[in-house]
Amino acid sequence: MNPRIKILAIFLSVATLVHVLLDDGAFISYIASFNFDYLKSNDTISEGTNSSLNGSILSSLNDTSFLQNCSETPPGLVGKIRVWMDGPSYHQLEKLYSTTVEKGGRSHPRDCIARHKVAIIVPYRDRDTQLRIMLHNLHALLTKQQLDYGIYVVEQIANQTFNRAKLMNVGFDQAIKEYDWDCFVFHDVDLLPEDDRNLYSCPEQPRHMSVAVDKFNYKLPYAGIFGGISALTKEHFEKINGFSNDYWGWGGEDDDLSTRVSTAGYKISRYPAEIARYKMIKHTHESSNKRNDCRFDIMRKTKRRWMQDGISSLKYNVIEVEKNLLFTKIVVDLLYDESIVTLRKAVPSC
């Protein structure tokens, strides 16, 4: 029998006897309280030690070694959830999530050990309202899913052609320097999940998350699509050499990523459309994010170039790293002038 159980049995026996003989209710209450507090302690007190009981109990309050792994399926999931379309101020959001989120947009369950350590990478430029709406929805969902997670918003400097894929690579590169993340979710800022069973966890195969988007009538536009939101383990991402760094302007990088996934021997996985549902925040196309006219020429060479073009060849300069409560903001210079010279040697039409 466990020594602590023996001690409890002895004390309860003594307490019962005293109660019978003296009818001293206060005494038995003290004894019972003493033993239950003692059993809560996670410290092992060696035989002959002089440690006090109070010290043992206080130590146990800061000891998380007794926690078990969280359930494989988080409890309390309900399926369809409310999508918040309002954009509270950052101050309001911080007040709302101050008890569950820590500086840098980090959170983890308090009553169990998370099974997945997930970095959310968000490429960003000039969409402040959308960012606030997305943060409102994501923090509410991810804490519910019992994940150990962090949100990284990677912002490109002004007056530079936008490169969504390279920002994703930067987010990965910066995030792994901070923490031992298991997997990465690459997340457009304008997509909001509609179902809490759409788990932001580590997939066995690279997972396309945004299967059914309201903009496309909740239907998959084409079989090979891998855009919007994608989830990969660290091993997946390193094996496919990340995203291409060469897609300056709108279009092409997601199809390039899909080719990398299949070429590396993986298959794109998806949750059923009734679960992997998203609302897209309406917005106009930015004139600064022009269509990439040479994207098809780059894509035609993906199978020849993917091992040389990606995180293995990533170059950038960090301008600023800011730790807000709701997210980690990373501002970077993607070195456009230098990069475009290198690209044109491989793909002259660019």
Side-chain angles (χ1 to χ4, degrees):
M1 182 183 293
N2 187 302
R4 294 184 178 185
I5 301 298
K6 289 182 179 179
I7 293 172
L8 176 60
I10 293 170
F11 269 93
L12 287 178
S13 298
V14 172
T16 302
L17 178 61
V18 171
H19 177 63
V20 170
L21 295 177
L22 302 178
D23 192 24
D24 188 350
F27 180 77
I28 190 169
S29 297
Y30 171 78
I31 294 296
S33 174
F34 170 85
N35 282 280
F36 283 116
D37 283 345
Y38 181 80
L39 284 174
K40 288 178 184 177
S41 172
N42 198 49
D43 296 332
T44 301
I45 302 179
S46 303
E47 189 173 359
T49 184
N50 292 322
S51 300
S52 68
L53 178 64
N54 287 340
S56 176
I57 295 173
L58 289 174
S59 297
S60 71
L61 294 176
N62 296 318
D63 187 357
T64 60
S65 62
F66 63 90
L67 292 179
Q68 296 181 341
N69 288 335
C70 298
S71 301
E72 290 190 18
T73 301
L77 300 184
V78 297
K80 188 175 181 180
I81 55 175
R82 179 176 178 179
V83 178
W84 306 95
M85 298 302 293
D86 59 319
S89 69
Y90 289 114
H91 178 68
Q92 290 172 321
L93 288 172
E94 288 174 359
K95 288 179 64 178
L96 185 61
Y97 293 107
S98 61
T99 59
T100 55
V101 179
E102 301 170 0
K103 191 173 183 181
R106 297 287 300 276
S107 185
H108 60 86
R110 271 51 174 182
D111 55 355
C112 59
I113 300 172
R115 290 178 176 270
H116 305 277
K117 295 180 288 186
V118 187
I120 313 294
I121 310 297
V122 183
Y124 173 82
R125 186 170 68 176
D126 298 332
R127 293 193 184 182
D128 183 72
T129 300
Q130 292 183 17
L131 178 59
R132 285 183 278 115
I133 296 172
M134 186 206 69
L135 290 169
H136 189 12
N137 284 272
L138 273 192
H139 279 303
L141 174 71
L142 299 177
T143 53
K144 190 177 184 181
Q145 293 186 353
Q146 296 184 321
L147 300 169
D148 181 357
Y149 73 88
I151 297 178
Y152 296 84
V153 175
V154 192
E155 182 175 3
Q156 190 172 341
I157 60 172
N159 303 317
Q160 195 176 81
T161 303
F162 192 63
N163 190 326
R164 172 178 172 272
K166 192 170 183 179
L167 288 174
M168 303 284 206
N169 284 343
V170 171
F172 172 85
D173 189 56
Q174 288 293 304
I176 59 174
K177 293 176 181 177
E178 283 197 344
Y179 191 59
D180 184 25
W181 300 109
D182 297 325
C183 55
F184 297 80
V185 175
F186 301 94
H187 204 297
D188 280 356
V189 72
D190 57 0
L191 291 173
L192 310 174
E194 296 186 35
D195 195 301
D196 60 11
R197 296 169 297 173
N198 188 5
L199 301 179
Y200 279 57
S201 56
C202 300
E204 292 185 10
Q205 292 285 334
R207 181 186 300 148
H208 180 223
M209 302 284 291
S210 49
V211 176
V213 180
D214 63 345
K215 178 182 178 180
F216 304 116
N217 297 316
Y218 295 106
K219 295 180 180 178
L220 200 66
Y222 55 94
I225 189 172
F226 203 36
I229 305 172
S230 54
L232 302 95
T233 66
K234 182 181 178 182
E235 179 182 354
H236 294 157
F237 199 70
E238 291 176 339
K239 187 173 179 179
I240 68 172
N241 199 23
F243 285 82
S244 167
N245 297 311
D246 288 340
Y247 288 87
W248 298 92
W250 181 86
E253 71 277 359
D254 291 325
D255 290 332
D256 185 291
L257 184 68
S258 179
T259 300
R260 289 166 181 255
V261 166
S262 59
T263 304
Y266 296 121
K267 294 182 179 179
I268 297 174
S269 63
R270 295 185 175 95
Y271 284 128
E274 61 267 23
I275 292 176
R277 292 168 61 92
Y278 285 84
K279 288 188 183 298
M280 179 177 285
I281 305 172
K282 294 180 180 180
H283 60 90
T284 56
H285 185 77
E286 299 97 330
S287 58
S288 59
N289 188 19
K290 296 180 179 180
R291 188 180 299 274
N292 183 352
D293 293 331
C294 70
R295 64 191 185 281
F296 296 111
D297 294 333
I298 302 174
M299 280 191 281
R300 276 191 285 269
K301 298 186 177 183
T302 298
K303 290 184 179 180
R304 282 181 284 165
R305 301 181 62 242
W306 68 285
M307 289 302 294
Q308 289 75 47
D309 168 30
I311 54 175
S312 63
S313 60
L314 180 63
K315 294 181 181 180
Y316 64 95
N317 290 332
V318 174
I319 305 302
E320 179 186 11
V321 176
E322 181 181 331
K323 295 282 185 179
N324 300 300
L325 176 68
L326 301 166
F327 61 96
T328 296
K329 179 181 179 181
I330 305 169
V331 181
V332 293
D333 177 358
L334 296 184
L335 307 175
Y336 173 80
D337 292 336
E338 175 184 332
S339 301
I340 205 69
V341 170
T342 302
L343 171 59
R344 286 170 179 164
K345 291 178 181 179
V347 188
S349 61
C350 295

